[in-house]
Amino acid sequence: MQITTKELDRRLRCGFVGGSYLFYGDEPYLKDYYIKKLRGIICPDPDFEVFNHVMIENGDTGRFAAELSGAPLFGLGRLVELRGTDFGKLPTDRLERLCALISSPDSGLTIIIDTKPDELPEGTPKKPSAVLAALTKAADCLKFERQTPARLADWLGRHFTAAGVKADDRVCRYMIDFCSADMYILASEVEKLAAYAKATGSEAITAETVRTVCSPNRVFGAFDFSNAIISGDRQTALAAFADMRLRKEPPERILGTISKIAGELLAVKKLSDSGVSRPEMSRLLGIADYPLGLRLSAVAGTGVEKLAETVRAVNETDKKLKTTSADGYLMIEQLILFGIGHNNK
C-alpha cells in the first residue's frame, strides 16, 4: 500500500519497522535520510552489521531471493536492500515472483527496494503503471517528491539554526531560487554559508551572502527536456541533456524522447497544412489539446521539409546508436546542436 513519511516517522519512533518497503521518487535526499534511519534501527551495532545487513546492487533478483531466507543473527533484525532494478524491463514472471517474495517477509526481516526515477515506470496518480500497482499490493510504497518552496524554506531555516547562524524566510526562499530545490545541493550550500558566516563574523545570512558564496544551479523537471525539443530551444535542451547524462539516463531512452517529438511535430505540421481541425488532429494523433497546442505553436513558422530533415537526422542517429560502438551521448549532443532546431533559439 502507499504510505506517507508521517506514517514511516511513526513507525521509526515506535521501533517497529519490519516488512517490505519500496522507495521511489525524485528527491534522493529524503529517501537516503530514511534509509539511514532504518539501518540505524535494524542494525544499531556496527560490529554485527556485516551479519545482518545485505545490499544487493544491479538488480540481482536471484541473489536477492536467496538472501531473504537467511535468519537474523545474535537476536537482532535483518535488513536486505535491493538496488538497480530496471522495473521497466523486468519480465512479468520475474515481477510476479519478486512481489510474492516481498509480500510476506519473515519475522525480523526488513526489505528495502531502492529505485531511481528512471528505473520505475510510475504511470499517473489516477492510473499507476502495472508495475507500480503490483508492487503497491506487495509492499509499503513511499514516493519521495520534490518539496514545495514553503517546506524547503522551513527546512533550511532549521538547518541554519542548527549550524549556529540565522537566515530569515525571505533569504531561504531566495536561496532555493538561486541554488535549486535539490535538497542535497541545499544542504551542501548551508554548510558553505555557515562556515563563511563564522569566518567573517557575520550573524545572519543575507541574499548578498548567498550570491557571494553559493553556486547557481537548476533542477530540471520531467518535461523540461521535452518542451525544449518541441520549441527548438537548444540551450535549454543541452542543459537538460547534461543533467540526464549526469544521472546516467540511457542514451536510447533520451533518443526515444527526441524521436517521438520529432515525429509528432512533422505529423502536426502536415495535418495543419492540410486544413485538419485541431479536435480532429487530437483524435488522429492521440495527443491531448494542451500539448497539441504547444506543437502547433512550435511548427507555425516552419516548413515541412525542415521538420522532415529533423526526423531523418534522428533516424540516422538511431541507426548509428544501434550499429556502432560510438559514444551515444556524444551523438545525441551533436543531434541537439545540429539536428533539432526548427527556429533560431
Side-chain angles (χ1 to χ4, degrees):
M1 66 177 180
Q2 286 284 350
I3 64 171
T4 65
T5 52
K6 287 185 178 180
E7 169 60 21
L8 185 54
D9 284 332
R10 186 189 66 79
R11 297 183 189 184
L12 290 169
R13 288 194 298 270
C14 297
F16 177 74
V17 294
S20 299
Y21 297 89
L22 170 72
F23 288 169
Y24 67 105
D26 293 326
E27 184 47 78
Y29 183 94
L30 285 176
K31 183 176 63 172
D32 292 345
Y33 168 82
Y34 279 103
I35 289 176
K36 290 176 182 177
K37 293 279 283 186
L38 283 163
R39 288 174 184 165
I41 291 174
I42 299 164
C43 303
D45 191 332
D47 293 334
F48 296 122
E49 185 176 4
V50 66
F51 300 105
N52 291 322
H53 180 200
V54 180
M55 189 180 299
I56 299 169
E57 305 284 355
N58 302 318
D60 189 344
T61 54
R63 186 186 164 209
F64 173 73
E67 289 290 349
L68 297 184
S69 60
L73 299 180
F74 310 106
L76 302 172
R78 191 162 188 268
L79 174 62
V80 178
E81 296 182 42
L82 175 64
R83 293 182 168 189
T85 305
D86 189 343
F87 284 99
K89 297 180 179 178
L90 194 68
T92 302
D93 59 336
R94 288 179 60 189
L95 175 63
E96 290 175 349
R97 287 199 295 272
L98 178 66
C99 288
L101 287 169
I102 66 176
S103 62
S104 54
D106 294 338
S107 177
L109 175 64
T110 301
I111 298 168
I112 297 175
I113 299 178
D114 179 10
T115 66
K116 295 179 180 178
D118 61 352
E119 293 173 347
L120 179 68
E122 295 182 31
T124 65
K126 291 184 178 180
K127 189 177 181 180
S129 69
V131 173
L132 182 56
L135 290 167
T136 303
K137 292 179 181 178
D140 288 327
C141 301
L142 206 165
K143 181 175 183 178
F144 295 95
E145 299 182 273
R146 296 287 184 192
Q147 299 296 289
T148 64
R151 288 185 177 182
L152 284 175
D154 181 63
W155 174 78
L156 279 172
R158 294 197 305 270
H159 271 243
F160 278 121
T161 299
V165 293
K166 298 177 182 179
D168 62 27
D169 184 74
R170 180 183 57 83
V171 169
C172 290
R173 286 178 178 268
Y174 177 79
M175 184 176 169
I176 294 164
D177 292 337
F178 188 82
C179 299
S180 90
D182 184 284
M183 295 177 75
Y184 265 120
I185 292 174
L186 291 172
S188 175
E189 297 295 352
V190 166
E191 293 181 6
K192 288 165 55 177
L193 286 164
Y196 178 85
K198 291 175 181 178
T200 58
S202 305
E203 293 184 358
I205 303 298
T206 66
E208 183 180 355
T209 317
V210 172
R211 289 192 295 271
T212 300
V213 176
C214 297
S215 303
N217 283 286
R218 177 181 176 185
V219 174
F220 289 92
F223 298 105
D224 286 326
F225 182 65
S226 298
N227 289 340
I229 297 296
I230 291 169
S231 64
D233 183 350
R234 290 190 182 97
Q235 184 176 356
T236 301
L238 286 169
F241 168 70
D243 183 65
M244 291 188 288
R245 183 174 183 172
L246 187 65
R247 292 186 277 108
K248 301 188 185 308
E249 186 158 340
E252 296 81 3
R253 188 171 300 173
I254 300 172
L255 184 60
T257 297
I258 299 174
S259 178
K260 180 175 182 292
I261 292 170
E264 288 175 347
L265 291 174
L266 179 58
V268 165
K269 181 62 177 177
K270 286 183 175 181
L271 291 173
S272 178
D273 286 355
S274 299
V276 177
S277 69
R278 184 161 166 168
E280 179 64 7
M281 203 182 301
S282 178
R283 186 189 68 81
L284 289 171
L285 299 178
I287 302 175
D289 184 72
Y290 176 73
L292 177 61
L294 295 178
R295 286 152 178 77
L296 283 167
S297 297
V299 303
T302 307
V304 168
E305 183 53 35
K306 177 62 177 176
L307 294 167
E309 287 178 10
T310 298
V311 171
R312 287 194 289 271
V314 172
N315 290 339
E316 185 62 26
T317 302
D318 181 62
K319 181 180 178 181
K320 291 179 180 178
L321 193 61
K322 293 176 179 176
T323 59
T324 72
S325 58
D327 186 333
Y329 291 116
L330 179 59
M331 287 192 287
I332 293 173
E333 186 174 37
Q334 292 172 337
L335 176 65
I336 295 171
L337 280 169
F338 305 111
I340 70 163
H342 43 272
N343 56 36
N344 294 321
K345 287 186 180 181

